[in-house]
Amino acid sequence: YMYFCDEHRGITRYYEILKSSVCEKYQLRQMEYDILMFLYNNPQHNTAADIVRYRKSTKSHVSTSLKALENKGLIERIQSARNKKHIEIVILNKAESIIEDGMKAQKEFAKNALDGLTKEEKYMCMAVFNKICANADAYLKKYAEGENEKSFLL
């Protein structure tokens, strides 16, 4: 069972190598890049709370990265007229070339990581991976709600 936990690091490392070239080119930290790409790929999740929730990042890291992206003129935070507490994040035109290079890196990663898999195998892989993630999320939620840590070891 630990095989999965150990082996996924290679997949993660490969993607980090691809995105590091984009980060170096545009002088971005990886978290800044990740947030830009998340916002681009998930326009319906455009608040700091969404980024924390879906990327499973800490509030402080997201806040620091959003401030840096704003200072670089890559994003803008817009306060809702109806709800002063609701602040949406918008990607600005200045980020366009970063997004383009980021999309190329993501496509290259997907193409190479899934090389040799049939269409059916790709769908099966996604279905199994989604189940694994859902299981992990469910147990993380139980853990966060204060269930005894020992129950995870049984």
Side-chain angles (χ1 to χ4, degrees), residues 8-68:
H8 90 280
R9 288 183 179 93
I11 297 167
T12 303
R13 183 70 188 121
Y14 173 53
Y15 182 60
E16 285 174 354
I17 289 169
L18 290 175
K19 72 180 181 179
S20 69
S21 64
V22 179
C23 291
E24 286 174 24
K25 180 177 178 180
Y26 296 101
Q27 286 138 19
L28 293 173
R29 292 198 167 127
Q30 289 204 5
M31 181 70 143
E32 295 164 8
Y33 166 88
D34 289 339
I35 288 174
L36 274 180
M37 296 310 296
F38 175 82
L39 291 168
Y40 178 78
N41 288 317
N42 304 279
Q44 72 280 21
H45 300 300
N46 62 351
T47 67
D50 287 339
I51 296 167
V52 169
R53 182 181 317 117
Y54 293 105
R55 293 224 7 97
K56 295 171 180 45
S57 303
T58 64
K59 288 180 185 179
S60 61
H61 284 124
V62 169
S63 178
T64 301
S65 296
L66 287 174
K67 189 174 289 288

Side-chain angles (χ1 to χ4, degrees), residues 64-124:
T64 301
S65 296
L66 287 174
K67 189 174 289 288
L69 290 168
E70 197 170 31
N71 290 340
K72 293 175 183 179
L74 301 172
I75 63 160
E76 184 177 3
R77 297 186 229 202
I78 301 173
Q79 190 176 47
S80 170
R82 291 178 300 199
N83 180 353
K84 300 278 187 210
K85 291 183 180 180
H86 185 80
I87 298 173
E88 294 184 354
I89 303 160
V90 177
I91 299 173
L92 299 176
N93 290 339
K94 188 177 177 184
E96 197 173 295
S97 56
I98 299 169
I99 299 293
E100 285 176 20
D101 286 350
M103 291 302 296
K104 286 178 192 169
Q106 288 181 346
K107 285 178 184 169
E108 182 179 345
F109 170 77
K111 179 182 164 284
N112 293 340
L114 302 175
D115 188 37
L117 296 180
T118 66
K119 193 174 188 178
E120 293 77 24
E121 288 171 330
K122 289 175 187 176
Y123 284 119
M124 186 183 300

